[in-house]
Amino acid sequence: MSGTEEMSKALKASTPGFCDMPSTIVRASIVQASTVYNDTPKTIEKAGEFIAQAASDGAQLVVFPEAYIGGYPRGYRFGIGVGVHNEAGRDCFRRYHASAIVVPGPEVDKLAEMARKNKVYLMMGAMEKDGYTLYCTALFFSSEGRFLGKHRKVMPTSLERCIWGYGDGSTIPVYDTPLGKLGAAICWENRMPLLRTSLYGKGIELYCAPTADGSTEWQSSMMHIALEGGCFVMSACQFCKRKDFPEHADYLFTDWYDDQHQEAIVSQGGSVIISPLGKILAGPNFESEGLVTADLDLGDIARAKLYFDVVGHYSRPDIFNLRVNENQNKPVTFVSKSVKAADDSEPQDN
């Protein structure tokens, strides 16, 4: 008998009227798979197959990696160097932009229908285009097929800043769903303590962490967030081989093996699900594409927060306080006012 079971038994014996309240169980699946690069329709078709597979296994929540639709541009250089511009890089960006999607738009409608058909809540990583600026975005859908909204990555990392725009505070949502409070932070946003705190402040329980970081060090970050936030963490990363990427002389890959060939692993995955008590429930998978699935006992959230509630009884708002600007920041604002001239509004005496 485990320590938790012994404690529960002792409480039942010693506490008058103690009842064994059942916990809610949610089955979550991470899809660890590669984008079909330069082919968004096939990428969405592939996503649909994985969603159906997860749903057939009882999944209620399905989580995809960062930039699954449109693709994470690992190794792409876009011809960029300080003071350097070239036509090949521009044309590479043209193709990458063409693979991104408009939100909302027809691809979003297809994803919503997949969620409805399979009766799952869905978090999809996508490259969003707003005009000619790209955003790394997490899209959220209900099991009724409703597009709930999005989170735009607020801080691209390294060279990502040359090709992606910056999200603002207007898209840092946490959705109150029948499964639990659902939200996301993308890749190294998860290293930003204040962003994490804003999600904790909104009561996040199902913390999605779509990423392109397949390192073993990343696992430590995910464990820390689960313990710090008292939430379930679902980190989804693509598993890609060199052959999954288009041929291009300018690509620079960090292979996980010394041999340079088409089967060389370019992104090793590492998708993982961790409980608020710091237990690894499923994964990490560093071997292949596939599903990473676990049953989440939502009662673990209360169990974890007995001792540590980062924005509750373990906070000191009299000393430390976070202010979050949720206003949408637009570069251009048009203010229109209908004004009638005096000689148009009233007849004039001659």
Side-chain angles (χ1 to χ4, degrees):
M1 182 180 294
S2 70
T4 302
E5 290 171 336
E6 289 177 353
M7 182 180 294
S8 177
K9 186 177 180 181
L11 282 169
K12 289 178 182 178
S14 64
T15 307
F18 183 91
C19 59
D20 188 10
M21 296 294 292
S23 292
T24 299
I25 304 297
V26 171
R27 176 161 288 191
S29 287
I30 292 171
V31 175
Q32 177 166 291
S34 173
T35 301
V36 182
Y37 281 85
N38 293 339
D39 197 329
T40 295
K42 284 188 177 179
T43 299
I44 294 176
E45 180 181 348
K46 183 177 180 180
E49 293 170 358
F50 273 110
I51 292 169
Q53 181 183 344
S56 69
D57 191 38
Q60 298 159 277
L61 171 64
V62 181
V63 180
F64 276 78
E66 176 181 16
Y68 177 77
I69 295 176
Y72 184 78
R74 188 179 303 276
Y76 289 40
R77 288 187 278 186
F78 296 98
I80 294 172
V82 177
V84 174
H85 309 87
N86 67 47
E87 294 306 316
R90 286 173 170 151
D91 199 55
C92 184
F93 182 77
R94 177 193 63 79
R95 292 192 298 272
Y96 189 50
H97 178 273
S99 295
I101 63 173
V102 176
V103 179
E107 292 85 3
V108 172
D109 293 341
K110 289 180 182 178
L111 294 168
E113 175 58 22
M114 289 176 182
R116 186 203 64 78
K117 180 179 178 181
N118 292 282
K119 298 181 175 62
V120 297
Y121 276 79
L122 174 64
M123 192 244 83
M124 175 62 70
M127 291 313 306
E128 175 194 359
K129 56 186 171 187
D130 187 350
Y132 288 91
T133 295
L134 302 181
Y135 295 92
C136 184
T137 300
L139 308 175
F140 297 88
F141 301 87
S142 76
S143 58
E144 292 81 25
R146 187 163 62 93
F147 173 52
L148 299 175
K150 66 187 179 184
H151 164 56
R152 283 177 172 175
K153 190 173 183 177
V154 301
M155 178 52 68
T157 302
S158 188
L159 195 62
E160 294 171 2
R161 298 174 195 172
C162 296
I163 54 171
W164 295 350
Y166 295 65
D168 59 32
S170 69
T171 66
I172 309 178
V174 171
Y175 299 102
D176 194 355
T177 78
L179 305 184
K181 293 182 179 179
L182 175 67
I186 302 172
C187 206
W188 279 18
E189 283 187 323
N190 288 282
R191 293 188 174 191
M192 300 174 70
L194 301 185
L195 177 64
R196 297 199 308 268
T197 303
S198 71
L199 294 175
Y200 302 152
K202 293 184 177 183
I204 192 167
E205 297 168 328
L206 303 173
Y207 188 118
C208 301
T211 187
D213 190 340
S215 68
T216 54
E217 294 81 6
W218 179 256
Q219 303 295 316
S220 299
S221 292
M222 297 299 98
M223 179 69 72
H224 172 77
I225 291 170
L227 291 168
E228 178 183 66
C231 52
F232 289 94
V233 171
M234 291 150 285
S235 177
C237 186
Q238 294 195 36
F239 183 90
C240 307
K241 296 182 178 181
R242 182 181 285 271
K243 67 181 182 182
D244 293 320
F245 289 79
E247 289 294 333
H248 195 291
D250 196 42
Y251 292 168
L252 178 67
F253 290 118
T254 300
D255 295 319
W256 295 97
Y257 300 115
D258 292 334
D259 45 347
Q260 307 279 317
H261 56 78
Q262 289 298 298
E263 293 296 320
I265 295 174
V266 173
S267 176
Q268 65 175 355
S271 299
V272 67
I273 301 176
I274 304 175
S275 84
L277 298 171
K279 296 179 181 179
I280 296 177
L281 302 179
N285 174 12
F286 292 108
E287 303 296 329
S288 64
E289 288 194 340
L291 298 177
V292 176
T293 300
D295 289 330
L296 317 183
D297 180 352
L298 299 189
D300 282 348
I301 298 172
R303 296 181 185 108
K305 293 193 176 183
L306 167 63
Y307 299 114
F308 187 84
D309 185 353
V310 67
V311 291
H313 62 76
Y314 216 96
S315 64
R316 285 296 304 275
D318 55 322
I319 305 173
F320 310 109
N321 186 266
L322 173 64
R323 177 180 176 273
V324 180
N325 179 6
E326 292 191 319
N327 292 321
Q328 184 178 16
N329 295 320
K330 293 184 177 182
V332 181
T333 301
F334 295 95
V335 179
S336 299
K337 186 175 182 181
S338 178
V339 179
K340 289 187 176 182
D343 58 351
D344 290 335
S345 57
E346 295 181 2
Q348 301 292 317
D349 294 329
N350 292 327

